[in-house]
Amino acid sequence: MPIAQPIPESQLIGAPIDPVAGISPEDAIQRSPHQLYSKLLPKKFYELHEKQAPWSFHPDLPTQPIWGFNGSFPGPTFMSRYGEPCLVRIHNDLPKASNLGFGIPSTSTHLHNGHTASESDGFPGDFINSGQFHDHHYPHVLPGFTTDPNGIGDKREALHTLWYHDHRADFTASNTYAGLVGYHLLFDDVDSGDEEDTNPQALRLPSGEYDVPLIFADRVFDSNGILFFDNFNFDGMLGDKWLVNGAIQPFMKVARRKYRFRFLGVGPSRFWQFHLSDDSPMIQIAEDGNLLPNPVVRDSGIRMGVAERCDVIIDFSRYKLGDVVYLQNRLEQIDGRGPTGNLLLPGDLLLKFIVDHDAKDPSQVPAKLCDLPSINPNEVVQTRTWRFERQNGGWAINGQFFDVNTIRAHVKQNTAEFWVLQNSGGSWSHPLHIHFEEFRLLSRNGLVPPLWEQGRKDVVKLNPNEQVVFFMRFRDWTGRYPFHCHNTVHEDHAMMIRWELEA
């Protein structure tokens, strides 16, 4: 995938940045001011152009139009660092009349898992139309920085693997299906992105060309080989072709050394269970945006829902030159309900690794990766319960559909809460995402969650007839944020709420 390149502020296309009003003359919707902009002035500036462009999914399929950030599927990968705030000006250059047969040229870009003020979060109702742009201020600060006497925040809550995507109300599924997704990676002194870093704090994980973000998607193509989306499917859409970084079942030549792979499934509705074809173990080092306290050896597959992330180490030094190994998805799923739980052998082949050369390997996988912040029940001021259920052919939370103007929860800044999530939808599964802050999962059906779910997360799989409880803090910013199912078809019809963070 291409790497996003910063530009001088003077080269931004359009009106000058207005940090006070938070809007540009081209914006049709009034935005709130950029919070704390003067204290967190951008050090880097970027432009993204949402546009229609020709794309080849496979040599045997016709080149066809997609919608992508800068015309690429996925869009460019951002390589950011804590302490380097950035401003991203996002232009909607999509055609005013859609000719893909699905999607709408109206967008709102969300930096998924970003500790970001609400006006730059990509609220589903804050969309821009063709010919408009909006400035997103990403401060790249640690949670709790506004109450920390040193103004730093909690280093134990550093985020690393983020992604961005369209979040337009009612059209998230179709617009992301068209290609509006990309990675945004964050580095610090610990996860520094340099496997030869001499800083004693640095983990020296595989880096550079050996740190590989992978976006998995399943898609449907019609009899002419053209991308197809079913606008009338409210249950969840599954594809029969497997995409990795926008290509159908690609291959990758690898060296006999360790690699870091960042897994992300972007849906709209597919759950995954990743295995290597020879059943070799993978070492999981991160879940969603965060490092785990310690690496976890995963020798029985890694199951993920839509929008979950998982960073793994695969050590190809165990193989001989010329060996071939496949990354597989073995999880059976036949409809939008979610996985059946059955595992298929050999499963679907996603990505072919060809071990074809040697390379030095100064990287390491330390036994200790990070500390976790404590959970203090005395901070908790409220417990909220959310039920997820089918209703009148759509998807409801506590019996109500999403209304962009209705606030379903008023949350006090600098407090903590327990949230209880209950699946009342029979055999349906829901990957659930809360914007803005991460949470700590306390229990799953009354049991302690497995090791790989004991870190900090922003998406949780809620399986049929299941209940999960988590602890969550709310700090630094104010404004409106959503909470929704990340099966994007369920989200659009209309399993989402608006909650408000108030001073």
Side-chain angles (χ1 to χ4, degrees):
M1 292 181 285
I3 303 299
Q5 300 298 324
I7 61 174
E9 180 181 358
S10 60
Q11 292 184 13
L12 291 172
I13 298 172
I17 297 166
D18 187 345
V20 177
I23 62 173
S24 62
E26 287 79 4
D27 257 350
I29 301 173
Q30 294 292 313
R31 306 284 195 247
S32 300
H34 289 298
Q35 298 176 55
L36 301 180
Y37 187 89
S38 61
K39 294 182 179 180
L40 300 164
L41 289 172
K43 296 183 179 180
K44 291 186 176 180
F45 299 85
Y46 298 87
E47 277 195 318
L48 278 179
H49 293 266
E50 301 168 324
K51 60 183 181 179
Q52 185 168 297
W55 191 258
S56 174
F57 291 98
H58 189 277
D60 293 339
L61 292 180
T63 298
Q64 56 192 281
I66 55 97
W67 289 356
F69 292 101
N70 291 356
S72 176
F73 178 18
T77 298
F78 285 78
M79 308 287 280
S80 295
R81 298 194 69 84
Y82 277 100
E84 293 184 353
C86 73
L87 183 135
V88 182
R89 177 163 288 182
I90 301 177
H91 296 263
N92 185 336
D93 295 335
L94 297 171
K96 292 184 178 180
S98 169
N99 59 5
L100 297 181
F102 58 89
I104 184 174
S106 176
T107 62
S108 179
T109 303
H110 169 50
L111 179 57
H112 182 114
N113 204 28
H115 191 71
T116 305
S118 55
E119 63 275 2
S120 294
D121 181 65
F123 185 73
D126 283 349
F127 46 83
I128 56 173
N129 298 316
S130 297
Q132 300 172 343
F133 68 84
H134 184 252
D135 291 333
H136 291 246
H137 179 220
Y138 299 137
H140 299 323
V141 288
L142 294 164
F145 75 98
T146 56
T147 55
D148 181 353
N150 298 314
I152 297 173
D154 195 335
K155 293 184 177 181
R156 299 170 297 180
E157 300 188 40
L159 303 164
H160 300 289
T161 303
L162 316 182
W163 65 296
Y164 62 99
H165 62 88
D166 181 58
H167 210 302
R168 208 285 193 188
D170 303 331
F171 292 92
T172 296
S174 55
N175 283 2
T176 55
Y177 195 89
L180 291 171
V181 297
Y183 263 110
H184 194 133
L185 308 184
L186 262 173
F187 298 93
D188 59 11
D189 292 340
V190 176
D191 191 357
S192 67
D194 181 0
E195 62 188 36
E196 299 187 74
D197 196 333
T198 58
N199 182 342
Q201 297 182 67
L203 296 174
R204 294 177 52 196
L205 299 167
S207 66
E209 64 180 298
Y210 307 108
D211 179 355
V212 185
L214 298 176
I215 287 182
F216 300 93
D218 56 327
R219 294 292 186 262
V220 177
F221 294 85
D222 67 17
S223 58
N224 296 314
I226 302 300
L227 191 64
F228 170 80
F229 182 87
D230 185 356
N231 290 297
F232 300 99
N233 182 341
F234 292 2
D235 292 349
M237 187 169 171
L238 302 179
D240 59 358
K241 295 293 180 286
W242 310 99
L243 273 62
V244 184
N245 292 355
I248 296 175
Q249 292 176 300
F251 67 88
M252 177 181 178
K253 294 180 179 179
V254 297
R256 297 178 63 247
R257 57 152 289 161
K258 294 187 291 297
Y259 283 72
R260 175 181 185 169
F261 291 100
R262 304 179 191 243
F263 293 173
L264 163 65
V266 297
S269 307
R270 173 75 63 180
F271 286 67
W272 308 82
Q273 185 156 321
F274 296 104
H275 295 255
L276 292 174
S277 54
D278 65 349
D279 288 316
S280 293
M282 295 178 276
I283 301 174
Q284 184 174 352
I285 60 170
E287 174 76 6
D288 289 345
N290 295 91
L291 293 170
L292 292 169
N294 310 99
V296 179
V297 177
R298 304 296 301 274
D299 53 9
S300 58
I302 296 173
R303 185 169 297 191
M304 295 172 58
V306 183
E308 285 189 294
R309 277 89 64 225
C310 177
D311 291 19
V312 303
I313 304 295
I314 299 179
D315 190 349
F316 292 102
S317 66
R318 66 170 67 98
Y319 300 106
K320 302 187 298 293
L321 292 178
D323 281 353
V324 170
V325 64
Y326 293 89
L327 186 66
Q328 300 173 329
N329 175 38
R330 295 183 184 174
L331 188 60
E332 182 184 56
Q333 186 172 349
I334 57 178
D335 56 31
R337 292 179 180 274
T340 65
N342 297 328
L343 297 183
L344 306 175
L345 288 175
D348 296 297
L349 305 182
L350 306 177
L351 176 59
K352 179 180 181 179
F353 296 115
I354 303 170
V355 184
D356 77 336
H357 63 287
D358 287 306
K360 70 173 185 176
D361 187 4
S363 70
Q364 61 183 20
V365 184
K368 175 70 175 295
L369 296 171
C370 73
D371 293 313
L372 291 175
S374 61
I375 296 174
N376 183 2
N378 293 327
E379 296 179 53
V380 173
V381 299
Q382 186 164 349
T383 298
R384 301 182 193 270
T385 299
W386 305 101
R387 300 184 317 278
F388 300 83
E389 52 207 353
R390 186 125 198 215
Q391 184 171 297
N392 297 326
W395 301 98
I397 301 178
N398 286 3
Q400 298 181 49
F401 296 132
F402 175 61
D403 179 352
V404 71
N405 296 312
T406 300
I407 301 171
R408 301 279 296 278
H410 295 268
V411 179
K412 187 72 173 175
Q413 188 184 42
N414 296 322
T415 65
E417 296 186 357
F418 291 138
W419 283 20
V420 181
L421 314 184
Q422 298 175 341
N423 189 344
S424 305
S427 59
W428 298 88
S429 296
H430 302 291
L432 301 170
H433 172 50
I434 301 91
H435 284 221
F436 175 58
E437 284 268 24
E438 294 179 292
F439 53 82
R440 294 280 301 281
L441 196 61
L442 302 178
S443 67
R444 183 179 285 279
N445 272 3
L447 302 176
V448 176
L451 287 175
W452 50 88
E453 286 192 323
Q454 292 182 18
R456 299 177 65 248
K457 285 182 61 60
D458 65 86
V459 178
V460 61
K461 294 182 292 291
L462 190 62
N463 300 311
N465 303 309
E466 196 168 51
Q467 174 175 293
V468 299
V469 181
F470 62 74
F471 170 89
M472 189 172 179
R473 291 186 175 97
F474 305 89
R475 293 158 293 179
D476 301 324
W477 312 105
T478 59
R480 54 186 180 172
Y481 294 94
F483 166 35
H484 59 88
C485 179
H486 225 298
N487 178 332
T488 51
V489 175
H490 295 183
E491 172 188 339
D492 287 342
H493 299 285
M495 190 172 265
M496 180 158 55
I497 68 162
R498 169 186 169 182
W499 60 274
E500 201 85 4
L501 182 55
E502 302 167 346

